[in-house]
Amino acid sequence: EAAAVLERVEPHERSLGMHMSLAQLHVTTGRRVEAIRSFLEALRLCPYAVEAIEWLAVLGAKESQVMAAVEAGILLKKSQQEERRRQEYTDDNDESSSSVLLPLTSFVSAHYLMQNPHQQQSKKSSSSSSSTSSAALHAFQQLEQQFPNNVYLLQKIATLQMQLNDNNAAQKTFERLRRLDENNMEAMDQYALLFRKNGSPPALQELNRLAHDMLEVDDKRPEPWMILAMYHSARKDHEKALGTYSVAENDSNSSFCLCFLFHPHLL
């Protein structure tokens, strides 16, 4: 087993990539506690490991644990940078290289706000969940003001706008994202949902165009096939939709999209 091979390496000798790979293997095999531990170790090595922060929020790790790991990672980075400066005989008063590149605590908090409606939807009222999503949206919008035209942040903003049923705003955000990076594939299946839910002939033309654009970028990714399946479903060709969808069946959002293909009224 791949995880067993990586676990033979002493934790303090593992690289960032090894911690991330081990964590992903634990996620795949349903070992939540071990996955959280590995993602936290990755953050202690590199506080800018965005994927680790996302997964820790999804897995339900305590926000305080994530914050502590990020702080440890920041301290480690600063000490490494200070050591490099000493070795290179640079100006000791120059602090630019040791400054934090991102407001990491705000970044962590935004992700946890984004996950709360999903993790606690059975315990919260819809109005409370909407309030939490609104707070998450505001947090990501604040970050986007500091880092304008950031594709990753725009993806989160568009996703939250959809959760809040503000489809017009979500479409504008996705259009802006596409103008910034037409080869980006992340969250494009969500963008496609807007066209699918619209259902008008012009919207379906856009859906078909988006599917072909994404297939040209990378036909090995699941998103293009999910988008194409939505197009076939919208045209009532459910057999072709299911066949096309099967190409993307290993995607993490598969149950959501399969539900939408045949029960669009549920969304």
Side-chain angles (χ1 to χ4, degrees):
E1 186 183 55
V5 173
L6 290 173
E7 285 172 340
R8 293 194 192 106
V9 180
E10 291 295 326
H12 65 277
E13 295 180 350
R14 293 174 193 162
S15 65
L16 173 63
M18 293 175 70
H19 282 303
M20 292 296 293
S21 296
L22 187 56
Q24 291 286 4
L25 288 167
H26 289 324
V27 169
T28 302
T29 55
R31 299 169 68 185
R32 173 181 169 276
V33 174
E34 291 82 357
I36 287 174
R37 185 182 303 121
S38 293
F39 281 127
L40 287 172
E41 288 299 327
L43 279 180
R44 292 185 185 106
L45 278 183
C46 178
Y48 303 110
V50 173
E51 187 178 355
I53 295 174
E54 284 194 74
W55 269 110
L56 286 163
V58 170
L59 293 169
K62 292 182 179 179
E63 186 174 351
S64 58
Q65 286 182 301
V66 181
M67 291 290 195
V70 165
E71 291 295 334
I74 291 172
L75 290 174
L76 177 62
K77 287 293 182 186
K78 284 184 176 180
S79 66
Q80 291 173 340
Q81 290 163 349
E82 288 168 2
E83 179 62 25
R84 271 199 301 273
R85 283 208 308 275
R86 282 196 294 269
Q87 292 176 354
E88 296 170 1
Y89 304 100
T90 56
D91 185 359
D92 289 338
N93 293 321
D94 180 12
E95 297 182 357
S96 60
S97 61
S98 63
S99 60
V100 178
L101 300 178
L102 289 171
L104 290 168
T105 54
S106 298
F107 195 77
V108 172
S109 295
H111 277 86
Y112 270 79
L113 284 169
M114 189 173 188
Q115 288 302 320
N116 277 344
H118 303 293
Q119 293 174 349
Q120 302 179 22
Q121 60 184 352
S122 61
K123 303 177 182 179
K124 291 186 172 184
S125 67
S126 59
S127 61
S128 181
S129 295
S130 177
S131 176
T132 306
S133 294
S134 295
L137 175 60
H138 178 72
F140 277 109
Q141 286 174 330
Q142 290 290 104
L143 287 167
E144 204 272 331
Q145 287 180 11
Q146 296 179 60
F147 303 94
N149 297 327
N150 183 286
V151 169
Y152 176 85
L153 295 175
L154 289 173
Q155 290 168 13
K156 300 301 179 187
I157 289 170
T159 298
L160 286 161
Q161 287 168 333
M162 287 184 67
Q163 287 179 15
L164 292 165
N165 295 317
D166 191 352
N167 291 337
N168 288 335
Q171 181 156 345
K172 290 179 181 178
T173 302
F174 277 124
E175 289 170 354
R176 181 179 165 199
L177 196 159
R178 288 275 290 157
R179 287 194 297 270
L180 289 169
D181 184 2
E182 62 182 11
N183 293 324
N184 170 70
M185 303 191 75
E186 298 295 331
M188 286 298 101
D189 48 341
Q190 296 178 51
Y191 184 31
L193 283 178
L194 294 175
F195 295 125
R196 174 65 178 89
K197 290 166 75 173
N198 181 299
S200 67
L204 295 186
Q205 288 179 0
E206 289 298 322
L207 181 59
N208 187 34
R209 185 179 296 112
L210 180 63
H212 285 284
D213 285 349
M214 294 295 96
L215 283 167
E216 288 184 2
V217 173
D218 188 350
D219 62 2
K220 301 297 189 296
R221 289 277 297 265
E223 291 88 348
W225 302 103
M226 294 164 73
I227 296 169
L228 189 57
M230 289 182 212
Y231 174 71
H232 291 312
S233 176
R235 298 178 68 244
K236 310 301 182 185
D237 191 344
H238 296 306
E239 183 176 351
K240 186 176 288 187
L242 186 58
T244 307
Y245 179 82
S246 65
V247 180
E249 64 185 351
N250 292 325
D251 185 72
S252 60
N253 291 322
S254 61
S255 59
F256 171 74
C257 285
L258 188 58
C259 176
F260 182 81
L261 286 175
F262 300 103
H263 304 283
H265 62 282
L266 296 177
L267 296 176

